[in-house]
Amino acid sequence: MNATEQDAHAPSPDALLTRLDKRQLGVLARVGREWGRVCGNPEAWRQALPLDPSLGSFPAPSEVRPSRFGRVVPIQSAPLPEVEATPAADEVPASGALRLAHELRRALIGPPLRSSAIARERMRKLVALPVLSADALSSVAYGPEAMLAVLVLAGSGGLGYSLPVAATIAFLMLAVGVSYRQTIRAYPHGGGSYIVASDNLGRNAGLVAAAGLMTDYILTVAVSVSSGLEAITSAIPSLTPDIVPIGAGVIVLLLAGNLRGVRQAGALFAAPTYLFIFAIFALVIVGVIDAGGRGFHATPRPHLSAIEGVGVLLILRAFASGSTAMTGIEAISNAVPVFKPTEWRNARTTLTWMVTLLILLFAGTIAMVQLDGVVPNAHETVLSQLAHRSFGSGFMYPITQAATAAILLLAANTAYNDFPRVLFLRMGDRLAFSNGIIALSVLAAAIFIAFGGKTAPLIPLYAVGVFLAFTLSQAGMVVHWWRLRDPHWMRSLAFNATGALLSAIVFVTAGITKFTAGAWVSLVAVGLVVMIATSIRRHYEAVAKALALHPHAIEVPRRTFAPRSRTASPKAGADADDDAPQTMSETQESEETPEEVRHLILVPVASLDLASIRALAYAASLEQPVLAVHVSPAEEEAERFREYWRTWGDHLPLEVVVSPYRAILAPMVNYIESLHRLGPELTLTVILPEIIVRHWWQRILHNRVAPRLRRALRQLPKCVVTTVPFHLPS
């Protein structure tokens, strides 16, 4: 999968927020009527606020300009402060061991951030081609060699089948490429395997496709790193004994870069990708000219002893191994929204270019193998041998090897954008999906080390996940066209049916012929992912049922409550002098009697469910000024939440902060700190609903906002964070 797919096929930012159906809206209105009898005049709660809660808004993503390489972009809004490291979230532990671990972590991933913009690049075709094709085109470095490594087991006779097998794979590339053109037409906003399979084949098929993608992402890292290092050790053989520690170090560097939130800029991808294309074409052209000088007579191969006979099983194994040269071919159909308008047309054009280049590079490599009589060996890659024959030891040889290693290592980095977004939803301090990035690194490193950093043993594992996702995606498209039946639907259905059939053949072939060689690992992994995902979904469904609004379960104050009247102080807000210096007495916690404490209670509300309503009831019962705060990732979702709030009765003041960058916690901290800056004399009490699970392992399934927010606000003066627990049934 490729660099900018994260924005293309990631779920809509508001897809995680609870939508209320008609029945729950009716319950919400009924609960609101109960509140209306005991909560007093809503206008009194608004008048009681000691400051103006409207603090401006974050800029839209279109207004944010990314830096060359940074994913995290500083933004400003009035009067929300500029993005910077948060000292409160960066508190240094006192103990020596924890302090050392803290310093190492900060050196590795950088300081935490208050807020950010996750900028999305709109790319023109010449930039999108290398960015989205790095994975697919880099597979030319190991796909042909994987095919030849199987055929060579049958000796010279086996290698004689390389041309027909390669021609079949090239036809498969063409058929699948054309079928993905139809996917782009049907899903102009991005259609990944998970989305297409879920929409057309059902939830279980979508889970299986996602499981296949998970193995694909993990093996993309392991295979790309191992292939890249093989390109390096072919040029520098002395590094071969250290390939495992070097590869592990490369994965650590990928981990650190992604935890820091380093954006994969188009220029960063374009240079090595175009250099790789140039190097392979130069290799083929020089080789063809050299072969023409000898009348296109193939260089004789050394005598090869057959380990096994040529048979259908061997040919099928070679076909399945060589088909791994197609990995990443679906990337452009996933990433349609990252193109400049007209998006779908530019995406289809770029896909055509990519498939054409892939077929030419693959066919050219196989042709040169035949003409130069190259035989796979354990000490030097096939591409390195071809480069030596075409360029000798001149300057083009190291350029070819360097370009090969660079594009492979960049292809490894692309998996970090998609794997975490499918499995994890929490953003870390640097606003990256930290847990997913760490999990991917650990799994890829474990596989890389277990297989000794060798590419050949990893190929059987790779083919299964890739073509399982291909098959389900294309089968889903067949169902899509059958249901839609728009003009030209039969032609589109035929293309996708052909892609589905051929992908299924490769999947079944790889699963059967390479089962004992390692394909069973991928099949077991897919099964485990589906089982775990199903269990997690059941848990979330149980949580949703427990949190659903029920008229008789709502806790409403039993008597009329209103904010206590007290001597008012001038309101802060739009008329306040935000730039006025604050004296020490304004920020010190100097209250010594209850009368000196001036309160503002904040209740972060993600959705109007049972836990949130109970937290609001608790806050109102304290009879102090209350402000509900909702952070929305999209204006559409913000308006929907406001409508829910009005349905409830609008009994308490509400402030909606629209932060269209998928981060929720950081904008909340930013907003609370801004309130403190505008009203330093206030004691801010943050009341959070907190879900309490029955089992320890269920904690990882919830974002645990309360402890994270408490840590972030720990050093903010006059800030109290408390929770209203909601205990889930067993």
Side-chain angles (χ1 to χ4, degrees):
M1 309 298 290
N2 284 279
T4 52
E5 285 181 64
Q6 73 266 24
D7 288 318
H9 67 80
S12 173
D14 62 348
L16 303 175
L17 300 172
T18 304
R19 290 176 179 265
L20 303 183
D21 56 26
K22 290 183 178 180
R23 186 191 65 82
Q24 288 188 308
L25 286 174
V27 175
L28 182 61
R30 182 174 174 182
V31 171
R33 288 192 293 270
E34 294 292 326
W35 270 75
R37 290 199 294 268
V38 298
C39 202
N41 184 4
E43 191 60 31
W45 289 95
R46 292 175 178 80
Q47 292 295 327
L49 291 178
L51 50 74
D52 184 353
S54 300
L55 302 182
S57 61
F58 292 101
S62 59
E63 300 173 4
V64 177
R65 293 294 179 266
S67 61
R68 177 176 290 271
F69 299 119
R71 179 186 293 132
V72 178
V73 182
I75 59 174
Q76 279 186 308
S77 58
L80 296 179
E82 186 177 357
V83 178
E84 58 186 16
T86 307
D90 197 31
E91 182 182 2
V92 180
S95 64
L98 291 177
R99 185 185 183 91
L100 177 61
H102 173 87
E103 295 297 336
L104 288 175
R105 182 168 180 263
R106 286 292 165 252
L108 182 67
I109 68 173
L113 299 173
R114 276 186 182 153
S115 184
S116 86
I118 301 177
R120 185 201 316 193
E121 289 182 285
R122 287 281 186 164
M123 295 183 292
R124 53 195 176 95
K125 296 189 289 293
L126 287 177
V127 174
L129 177 64
V131 170
L132 299 175
S133 302
D135 192 2
L137 298 181
S138 68
S139 61
V140 172
Y142 53 80
E145 185 161 6
M147 179 193 75
L148 296 170
V150 176
L151 293 175
V152 78
L153 297 176
S156 300
L159 288 175
Y161 286 88
S162 59
L163 288 180
V165 173
T168 306
I169 294 173
F171 174 74
L172 176 62
M173 292 175 178
L174 179 62
V176 173
V178 171
S179 66
Y180 271 110
R181 281 177 56 89
Q182 310 312 310
T183 302
I184 292 173
R185 184 163 73 89
Y187 287 85
H189 300 294
S193 298
Y194 172 74
I195 294 174
V196 174
S198 298
D199 283 354
N200 299 288
L201 302 178
R203 177 187 297 176
N204 292 333
L207 285 177
V208 174
L213 289 175
M214 292 304 98
T215 60
D216 179 17
Y217 298 145
I218 295 168
L219 288 165
T220 291
V221 177
V223 170
S224 296
V225 170
S226 64
S227 298
L229 291 179
E230 285 182 356
I232 294 173
T233 55
S234 294
I236 312 175
S238 60
L239 295 178
T240 301
D242 301 318
I243 193 171
V244 172
I246 293 174
V250 170
I251 294 176
V252 171
L253 289 176
L254 292 173
L255 167 65
N258 283 277
L259 285 177
R260 291 185 71 91
V262 177
R263 183 172 59 89
Q264 296 172 330
L268 182 65
F269 265 77
T273 304
Y274 279 128
L275 183 60
F276 177 76
I277 295 171
F278 167 76
I280 301 302
F281 274 130
L283 181 154
V284 172
I285 291 171
V286 172
V288 168
I289 293 174
D290 181 64
R294 60 177 188 268
F296 291 101
H297 296 297
T299 301
R301 291 192 180 95
H303 176 71
L304 300 172
S305 300
I307 299 176
E308 57 183 275
V310 177
V312 175
L313 191 62
L314 181 79
I315 300 299
L316 289 176
R317 284 165 52 197
F319 173 67
S321 294
S323 295
T324 55
M326 294 174 54
T327 57
I329 203 171
E330 83 290 357
I332 292 175
S333 71
N334 295 341
V336 176
V338 306
F339 285 85
K340 289 187 175 181
T342 305
E343 293 87 349
W344 67 269
R345 183 178 292 113
N346 289 333
R348 282 167 65 100
T349 301
T350 306
L351 177 63
T352 301
W353 292 353
M354 183 188 75
V355 172
T356 302
L357 283 171
L358 180 60
I359 294 173
L360 289 175
L361 293 176
F362 180 83
T365 301
I366 295 297
M368 293 313 303
V369 167
Q370 288 294 109
L371 289 172
D372 288 346
V374 170
V375 177
N377 66 67
H379 306 292
E380 188 177 10
T381 65
V382 166
L383 273 184
S384 176
Q385 295 181 61
L386 292 175
H388 262 138
R389 290 173 183 257
S390 294
F391 306 132
S393 298
F395 75 97
M396 277 301 297
Y397 173 75
I399 288 178
T400 301
Q401 295 305 102
T404 302
I407 193 175
L408 284 165
L409 295 180
L410 287 176
N413 198 41
T414 61
Y416 282 90
N417 291 281
D418 296 290
F419 179 92
R421 293 179 183 274
V422 175
L423 285 187
F424 295 88
L425 296 172
R426 173 192 167 184
M427 285 188 174
D429 290 340
R430 295 287 298 186
L431 303 173
F433 292 91
S434 306
N435 292 340
I437 290 169
I438 293 170
L440 175 59
S441 300
V442 170
L443 292 171
I447 291 175
F448 177 84
I449 294 171
F451 284 83
K454 301 296 183 183
T455 304
L458 290 170
I459 294 299
L461 284 73
Y462 206 10
V464 171
V466 172
F467 283 94
L468 175 59
F470 282 6
T471 302
L472 290 173
S473 174
Q474 296 307 304
M477 288 304 305
V478 171
V479 174
H480 171 83
W481 296 122
W482 180 260
R483 291 173 175 170
L484 188 61
R485 302 198 182 195
D486 65 349
H488 311 297
W489 71 271
M490 294 187 66
R491 184 181 64 183
S492 299
L493 186 148
F495 284 138
N496 286 120
T498 302
L501 177 62
L502 294 175
S503 297
I505 290 173
V506 178
F507 168 67
V508 173
T509 300
I512 294 175
T513 62
K514 295 181 175 294
F515 185 83
T516 57
W520 67 270
V521 176
S522 291
L523 293 172
V524 170
V526 168
L528 285 175
V529 170
V530 171
M531 182 179 68
I532 293 171
T534 302
S535 299
I536 291 173
R537 181 176 289 276
R538 289 199 195 102
H539 172 74
Y540 284 141
E541 288 175 347
V543 171
K545 183 178 180 180
L547 290 174
L549 295 175
H550 303 289
H552 304 295
I554 297 296
E555 293 185 0
V556 179
R558 298 303 180 189
R559 60 183 178 84
T560 301
F561 283 84
R564 300 172 188 170
S565 60
R566 58 180 299 162
T567 302
S569 62
K571 280 192 178 184
D575 297 329
D577 186 0
D578 295 335
D579 297 324
Q582 298 175 2
T583 64
M584 184 64 69
S585 61
E586 288 179 308
T587 58
Q588 282 184 335
E589 298 161 301
S590 58
E591 298 90 343
E592 297 179 359
T593 62
E595 289 77 12
E596 293 180 286
V597 180
R598 299 192 64 247
H599 291 278
L600 174 60
I601 297 176
L602 304 175
V603 186
V605 181
S607 59
L608 285 173
D609 54 23
L610 194 56
S612 295
I613 293 294
R614 286 181 174 177
L616 289 170
Y618 174 77
S621 70
L622 300 178
E623 298 185 278
Q624 298 293 338
V626 175
L627 175 65
V629 182
H630 174 76
V631 178
S632 173
E635 184 59 47
E636 295 78 8
E637 190 276 331
E639 184 54 40
R640 188 170 70 250
F641 187 85
R642 294 187 189 100
E643 183 61 33
Y644 292 166
W645 195 260
R646 289 190 288 268
T647 300
W648 174 63
D650 198 16
H651 298 292
L652 297 173
L654 170 69
E655 182 67 21
V656 177
V657 178
V658 179
S659 173
Y661 312 114
R662 294 199 179 109
I664 300 297
L665 182 65
M668 179 65 70
V669 173
N670 191 20
Y671 181 77
I672 294 172
E673 290 177 340
S674 298
L675 288 179
H676 172 71
R677 183 163 63 91
L678 293 178
E681 76 285 355
L682 296 174
T683 294
L684 302 179
T685 301
V686 183
I687 296 178
L688 290 164
E690 183 176 16
I691 295 175
I692 308 298
V693 296
R694 288 299 186 101
H695 307 287
W696 65 268
W697 52 268
Q698 294 174 333
R699 295 175 189 167
I700 64 176
L701 303 179
H702 298 274
N703 56 23
R704 297 181 58 76
V705 169
R708 292 167 56 207
L709 190 58
R710 187 180 294 111
R711 287 194 298 271
L713 298 174
R714 185 175 295 160
Q715 291 188 353
L716 187 67
K718 298 185 181 181
C719 185
V720 179
V721 181
T722 188
T723 58
V724 177
F726 182 88
H727 294 82
L728 294 176
S730 57

